Amino acid sequence: MFWGMFRELQRLKHHTNRRENQLMTRINQRHIFILIILFVGVALMTSAAIAQSQDIENIFITEEIDTTDFPDVNLTFRAVDGDNSVPSLLTNDDLVVYENEQPVADFEVGEPVNGPVFVVFVVDLGKWANFRGAMADAVRDSMIHFTDGYFRDGIDTVAILGQTAVTETQNTAVLLEPTQSAARFTSAVNSLDLILPGAEQTQGLLGVEAALNRLAELSEPGYAGTAVIYISTLVELPQQSIAERDARTLAAASSEQFTKLYTFHTDNEYGEPLQALASGSGGEYIQLSADHDNSGNLNRVYQSIMAQGIRYPLHYRSQSGDSGPRSVIIAPFGTPAELAPHARSYNISLQPPVIEIQDPEDNTEFTRKATLTDDNSWEYDLDYITITAELTSWPDKIERNIELVTFFVDGLEQHAVENPVGTTFSFNLDISEIKETEALIINVRVRDELDIEAESDSITINVNADTPDGIIPPTATPGPTPTPIVIGQDPCSHNPRSTACVMTYAPWGIAIIMGVVVVVMGAIYRRQAAAMLGAAGGNLRERVAEVRKTLLGGAVKGKVVLAKLQVMVARKDLEGEEVKIYTNKTTIGRSPKLCDVLLYEEDEISSVSGVHCTIQYDRGKFLITDDNSANGTVVNGELLPPNSPRILNHGDEIVLGDLFHRGAKLRFEIVETPHKPSEGAVSSEAPSPEPASTGEGTETILELGEEDYGTLYGDAYDNPADAPPTKDVDWLNDLE
C-alpha cells in the first residue's frame, strides 16, 4: 500500500513539474513575441521619423529677416517634402543653417504656426456642365464650406475664376478678385450664375493654368501655402485621352510651383483627367454628390489646404562682425551651403563701440610719500592706482556683449577680464616697485561677441616716489666716547672697569666663551641629529640629499650642473642670482617643507603658490609642469594647463603668478646634457650626494640661516628651543 502511495505521489510530482515547464515555456514564448512586436514598432517609428526628416526637399524663409534685436536674428520658414506637403514636426536635428555660407552652430526651431494660404477656385461653365438644381446647390455649398472654420478673415486670400466659351471663344473670366473677406467670398458664391446661355465646349485646363499664374502673382512660389480647386463635370476639350496627358503635364508644372491641385467632380464618368491633375500635384480628387452629405470629403480637402500654410519660427545669434549684405540659408540636414537654394538676405552696418578711460585723467600726478618705519626702512603710502574705463556708446545703435577687456601699461598687457558684467571696468595698477619718478602710458582695449575691437585713447600718469633727500636710515645707536689710552700703559692698570680695558680684553673673553659654546653645541647637535635620524629615518636623509642636490647660488662637488635658472624677478635679495639644477626633479614655490627653490618667504604675500611648478629631466629632455598653482605658470607668453608637462628649451622665460603682485620671472638655461644610463631612461631616484669638503679648492654649499632650518629638517625638527648647528660645522657630512 505504501509503495502504491509513493508511486502515485511520484506520478503527481512528475505531472506537476511537466505542467510548470509547459507553462513557463508558453510565458517565455509570449514574452519573446511581445519583445519582437515592440522592437518592430520602435524600428518602424524610427524609420518613419528618419524618412520624414530625410524627405524634406525645399525650405523657404517666408518673410523678411527680423534684425530688430541684432545680433539676435529671427525669421520664419516653410518646408515641403517630395510630395509637396509640409512636415507636421521639425526639430534642430532636421536642419542646417548658414549665414554667409558659414554654418550657424547654435540655433533654435520653435513650435509650428499657421501662416496664410492662397486659394483660387476654377468653375468650368462649359456646354456639358450639369450645375442645375440640387447639383448647383452642392457646388455652392462645397465652396462656402471653406469659410466654415478654415478661411480666416484678414489672413487668407481667396479668388474665383470661371472658364467659359461663347461662340467658340475661350475665356477665363474673373468672377471674384482676390479677397481676404469671408463675407465678400460668400456673397460672390451665392451670386454665381452656374448656367450660361449659349455656352460652347470649354478647355477647362486653361482655367487651371490661369489660376496658377494668378497665384504666382499673389505669392512667390513656395513661400506660402497655395492651392487650386477645379470644379467640373468633365474636361470637354481636348478629347479624353489627350486631356489626360495634358492634365499630367499641368500637374507637374503645378508641383514645380509648389502648388497642389484639388478637383471636385460633379459626375461619375470621364474623371480620369481630373484624377491625373490631383494625383500628379499631391492634391486630392473627390466626387461631389447632390444626394449625399459631402462634408467629410470637404473637411479632409480643406484641412490639407490649411496645413500648407504651416511655418516654423527660428532664432539664432549672429557671430559675424562683417558689415553689408548677408545671405541666410536654411536647408535639410547634411546639405552643403553651395547646394542649398532659396537664400534670403538682410543688410547690417556695424561699428566698434566707444571705450574711454574715466579715471584718472590724463597727466595726473601721483606721489608715493615715504615714512621711516621701526625697522629702519622706507614705507610708502601708495601702492596702487585704480584705472577705470567705461563703454560710453554704440555708434551703430546695436548693443552687444563684451567678451574681453584688456588693460595695457606702456604697451604691455597687464590685466584682462573675460565676459565682464556691465559697461564699467576697473583695474588696480600695482606701483609698489616704483621708487623713482616714472611716466606710465595707459590704454584699454575691448572685444565684443562679434570679434569687433575698440581701443581707448591713451593717457599718461606720472608717479613720483617722495623719499627725503640726504636722509639715510640709521643702522645703530652711537655709544659713549672711549677713554683715551696712553701708549705703553696697561689699559686696565688705571681702571679695570674702564671701556678701554673691556674693549682690549673682550675679544679674548668672547673667543673663549664661543669656543666652549661650539664644543657644547657640537655634542648636543650630534645627539640630536642621531635622535632625529632614528625618528625620521630615511626621510631626513633623503631631504638632506635634496638640499645638497639643488642649491641656490651654491654647488655640489662632483655633481654635474644640468641647467640653470637665472632669477630675473623674485624676492629682492634673490634677483640676479642663479639656481643650479643637479637633479632629475626640482620643485619651485614658497613652501620650505615641499620646495627645493624658494622665491619668496612662506608667510610673504605673493602670487607664487606654496608649490607652484616642477622642472624634471627625463630621457634627454627638460619638462616643466604647473602644479595646479593659483595664478598660473607662463612659458614664453603661453599659459600652461595645470598638471600638463611642457618641454623647456634653452633661453625660455618662465613667469610664475602675476608680476604686478609679487610674482617671479626666471630664464632657463641648459648647461650640458648628462649622459643617459646604459639601461635606458634616467631614473627618477636622485643620486646620493657627495660629501662636501671645506678644504682649499672645493666649492661652498648653501649656508643656511635660522629661517632655513625648516627647509632642511621638515617635520623632524620639532624643538625650536634646541640650538641649531652653527654654519661652520660640516653638519651634512656629520649627518651622513
Side-chain angles (χ1 to χ4, degrees), residues 589-602:
R590 289 189 299 112
S591 172
K593 294 183 179 181
L594 301 175
C595 296
D596 305 298
V597 178
L598 306 180
L599 299 177
Y600 288 92
E601 298 294 341
E602 184 176 25

Side-chain angles (χ1 to χ4, degrees), residues 62-63 76-78 86 113-119 146 150-158 179-180 215 218-220 222-227 305-312:
T62 56
E63 300 172 359
T76 58
F77 69 91
R78 178 175 180 266
V86 177
V113 295
N114 290 320
V117 296
F118 298 82
V119 179
F146 182 43
Y150 298 102
F151 181 84
R152 298 163 296 175
D153 268 352
I155 299 176
D156 303 319
T157 302
V158 64
T179 180
Q180 292 184 337
L215 285 174
L218 295 174
S219 174
E220 186 177 356
Y223 288 84
T226 55
I305 291 175
M306 299 309 295
Q308 291 296 98
I310 290 178
R311 56 189 60 189
Y312 293 84

Side-chain angles (χ1 to χ4, degrees), residues 564-697:
K564 296 180 181 179
L565 292 172
Q566 300 293 337
V567 182
M568 303 169 69
V569 177
R571 199 175 67 227
K572 286 302 179 184
D573 59 322
L574 300 182
E575 291 184 358
E577 298 290 336
E578 66 179 20
V579 178
K580 295 179 181 178
I581 296 177
Y582 299 89
T583 63
N584 299 332
K585 181 176 180 181
T586 301
T587 304
I588 303 173
R590 289 189 299 112
S591 172
K593 294 183 179 181
L594 301 175
C595 296
D596 305 298
V597 178
L598 306 180
L599 299 177
Y600 288 92
E601 298 294 341
E602 184 176 25
D603 57 352
E604 188 173 1
I605 298 176
S606 169
S607 58
V608 176
S609 298
V611 178
H612 200 103
C613 67
T614 301
I615 296 177
Q616 292 177 285
Y617 178 79
D618 187 16
R619 298 175 176 86
K621 297 179 180 179
F622 289 91
L623 304 174
I624 184 170
T625 304
D626 179 86
D627 295 328
N628 201 23
S629 64
N631 296 292
T633 302
V634 176
V635 178
N636 294 338
E638 175 189 353
L639 180 64
L640 302 185
N643 305 315
S644 180
R646 179 201 188 276
I647 294 178
L648 272 179
N649 299 310
H650 184 79
D652 283 352
E653 288 192 353
I654 306 169
V655 175
L656 310 184
D658 186 349
L659 293 181
F660 277 81
H661 293 84
R662 289 183 170 81
K665 186 176 182 180
L666 312 168
R667 185 170 62 247
F668 179 75
E669 297 178 358
I670 299 176
V671 176
E672 66 175 274
T673 303
H675 300 291
K676 298 180 181 179
S678 59
E679 290 147 8
V682 178
S683 170
S684 60
E685 294 293 327
S688 300
E690 293 287 336
S693 171
T694 58
E696 184 177 355

Side-chain angles (χ1 to χ4, degrees), residues 51 54 59 67 125 202 222 251 265 290 352 356 451 456 480 509 577 601 622 654 657 710 730:
Q54 293 177 342
I59 297 178
T67 58
L125 301 173
T202 59
H265 192 191
E356 297 178 355
D451 288 335
S456 70
E577 298 290 336
E601 298 294 341
F622 289 91
I654 306 169
D730 192 358

Side-chain angles (χ1 to χ4, degrees), residues 96-309:
V96 60
V97 180
Y98 297 100
E99 185 177 75
N100 284 351
E101 298 188 351
Q102 298 300 315
V104 176
D106 189 14
F107 62 89
E108 186 65 33
V109 177
E111 295 294 325
V113 295
N114 290 320
V117 296
F118 298 82
V119 179
V120 176
F121 286 87
V122 179
V123 182
D124 192 346
L125 301 173
K127 179 178 181 179
W128 302 109
N130 60 352
F131 307 150
R132 293 175 175 84
M135 183 55 71
D137 293 337
V139 169
R140 290 189 178 92
D141 289 344
S142 69
M143 298 175 68
I144 295 176
H145 195 83
F146 182 43
T147 64
D148 187 12
Y150 298 102
F151 181 84
R152 298 163 296 175
D153 268 352
I155 299 176
D156 303 319
T157 302
V158 64
I160 304 174
L161 301 180
Q163 186 63 27
T164 64
V166 180
T167 64
E168 299 183 358
T169 300
Q170 298 295 325
N171 181 45
T172 303
V174 178
L175 305 180
L176 175 66
E177 291 287 353
T179 180
Q180 292 184 337
S181 169
R184 288 186 60 190
F185 172 69
T186 301
S187 177
V189 171
N190 289 329
S191 302
L192 282 179
D193 189 356
L194 298 178
I195 302 175
L196 296 181
E200 299 292 336
Q201 287 183 306
T202 59
Q203 295 183 16
L205 297 182
L206 293 180
V208 176
E209 187 175 345
L212 290 174
N213 294 334
R214 178 55 63 94
L215 285 174
E217 296 171 0
L218 295 174
S219 174
E220 186 177 356
Y223 288 84
T226 55
V228 174
I229 299 176
Y230 179 44
I231 304 174
S232 177
T233 301
L234 76 162
V235 177
E236 296 176 334
L237 293 175
Q239 62 183 2
Q240 177 91 351
S241 60
I242 298 176
E244 186 175 349
R245 181 197 64 190
D246 291 349
R248 285 194 293 268
T249 302
L250 186 58
S254 175
S255 183
E256 290 179 0
Q257 191 175 315
F258 307 102
T259 298
K260 288 189 174 187
L261 303 179
Y262 298 85
T263 53
F264 294 176
H265 192 191
T266 61
D267 204 333
N268 55 10
E269 293 183 317
Y270 312 112
E272 287 80 2
L274 279 71
Q275 293 172 358
L277 279 175
S279 61
S281 65
E284 186 173 352
Y285 163 88
I286 66 172
Q287 283 187 328
L288 287 181
S289 173
D291 303 323
H292 301 90
D293 185 9
N294 296 299
S295 59
N297 289 333
L298 294 174
N299 286 336
R300 187 171 63 253
V301 167
Y302 291 134
Q303 286 173 0
S304 174
I305 291 175
M306 299 309 295
Q308 291 296 98

Side-chain angles (χ1 to χ4, degrees), residues 10 29 63 104 143 221 292 313-314 345 393 415 530 652 728:
Q10 288 292 100
Q29 290 175 345
E63 300 172 359
V104 176
M143 298 175 68
H292 301 90
L314 184 142
S345 298
S393 67
H415 182 68
D652 283 352
D728 295 326

